[in-house]
Amino acid sequence: MPKPPPDDAKLRSLREQGAINPRSQAVTDDLFAASEFFDPRDLVQVKYEMLRCVEKGGQSVTEAAARFGLSRPSFYLAHSALAQRGLAGLIPLKRGPK
């Protein structure tokens, strides 16, 4: 049986917080390819950078969503969450009964 890949501290933390990006392999933006600081596994960081690219970089919503591996509806949900709750709004909500 093959060994599972090593589990680093950041990945464990992302899992615990529910902030791991299940589509990290779909992130194609140059920021995430050129720097170790940008981590495509970090869903909060991916959403924030997607929003920033539209607001500050002038990209279209469609283009930014595609480059960050998310959908247009995901962009609008993240945009609304950031406006209403700040950066904490980008943290995925826990699923299940409340």
Side-chain angles (χ1 to χ4, degrees), residues 4-75:
D7 194 9
D8 62 42
K10 182 171 184 180
L11 188 57
R12 282 192 305 271
S13 178
L14 290 172
R15 280 193 186 117
E16 289 170 7
Q17 300 300 318
I20 194 160
N21 184 2
R23 297 185 32 129
S24 61
Q25 74 284 355
V27 177
T28 61
D29 189 79
D30 292 341
L31 285 175
F32 289 85
S35 171
E36 288 184 23
F37 175 78
F38 296 100
D39 188 347
R41 302 173 302 173
D42 186 339
L43 187 56
V44 174
Q45 187 178 45
V46 169
K47 287 179 180 180
Y48 180 79
E49 292 302 328
M50 174 184 64
L51 294 169
R52 202 172 71 76
C53 279
V54 171
E55 187 165 322
K56 302 294 183 190
Q59 287 184 12
S60 73
V61 171
T62 303
E63 180 182 357
R67 289 176 55 186
F68 287 89
L70 299 169
S71 65
R72 287 178 53 242
S74 294
F75 171 88

